[in-house]
Amino acid sequence: MKKTGWISLLMLLTIGMLAFASCSDDDDAPSEQEVKEHIVGTWQSTHISGYWYDDNDENSIVKVDRELKSAEQHRIHILQDGSFYEYRYSTFTSSWYPEGDSQDYTISENKFIVTKKYGSLSSKYVYTIISISDNTLVLGGCL
C-alpha cells in the first residue's frame, strides 16, 4: 500500500493526543464498555509518537514524536451504528473535506477494528485503544 494509504489509516483519531505505541498488551487498558461509552463522536489527530515512514524514503521507517501539521491531521466521525467517516484538512481551501464513503468498525475489548472498503475489496486494520475519555483517545497501531 502506498504511503498516503497508511497515513489515512494510521492517523485516525484524537482530540488531545494520538500516540502510536508498540504492539504489547497493556494491563490498564480500557474495558470494552468504557470504549463503547466514549468512542462515538468526532476525533481529530494532533500528535504522532512511535515509528513512521521516512519522508525521504517511504521504504524506511524512522522514530517520530511530534505534533502534526494541519495538512497531516485527520478527523474521524464515529457513529453509534458501527460506521465512521474520515476527513482530511485542505490547506488550499483551509477547510475539512470528506475522504470517501463511510467505513465500518467494530469494538472488541479494547480493540478498534476498522474495515476499509476499496471497491469490491476490503482490508481489516486493528488498533489498540490505550486510553479513552470524553476528549482524548490514544491509539496504538503497528505498521
Side-chain angles (χ1 to χ4, degrees), residues 11-70:
M11 297 174 67
L12 264 180
L13 312 169
T14 296
I15 286 176
M17 177 175 143
L18 176 65
F20 292 96
S22 68
C23 298
S24 63
D25 291 332
D26 185 354
D27 293 335
D28 296 328
S31 69
E32 185 170 329
Q33 183 62 33
E34 287 176 288
V35 171
K36 288 181 176 180
E37 287 174 10
H38 295 287
I39 197 74
V40 173
T42 301
W43 300 91
Q44 181 173 322
S45 59
T46 60
H47 190 91
I48 184 169
S49 177
Y51 294 88
W52 196 245
Y53 293 101
D54 187 333
D55 289 337
N56 301 313
D57 178 9
E58 69 179 44
N59 294 319
S60 296
I61 297 174
V62 295
K63 188 170 181 151
V64 295
D65 187 10
R66 64 179 175 79
E67 299 301 311
L68 295 172
K69 300 172 192 163
S70 294

Side-chain angles (χ1 to χ4, degrees), residues 54-113:
D54 187 333
D55 289 337
N56 301 313
D57 178 9
E58 69 179 44
N59 294 319
S60 296
I61 297 174
V62 295
K63 188 170 181 151
V64 295
D65 187 10
R66 64 179 175 79
E67 299 301 311
L68 295 172
K69 300 172 192 163
S70 294
E72 298 172 315
Q73 293 181 358
H74 284 71
R75 280 186 183 164
I76 182 169
H77 183 70
I78 301 174
L79 303 173
Q80 188 73 41
D81 68 1
S83 65
F84 68 93
Y85 293 86
E86 290 182 87
Y87 298 86
R88 291 183 64 87
Y89 186 77
S90 168
T91 53
F92 181 70
T93 63
S94 298
S95 62
W96 292 92
Y97 64 92
E99 190 170 72
D101 296 327
S102 71
Q103 304 292 328
D104 298 326
Y105 77 91
T106 57
I107 302 295
S108 178
E109 298 176 3
N110 68 323
K111 305 291 188 236
F112 183 72
I113 304 163

Side-chain angles (χ1 to χ4, degrees), residues 1-9 53 58 74 88 99:
M1 180 177 284
K2 290 190 178 269
K3 182 177 175 181
T4 56
W6 280 106
I7 290 172
S8 176
L9 297 172
Y53 293 101
E58 69 179 44
H74 284 71
R88 291 183 64 87
E99 190 170 72

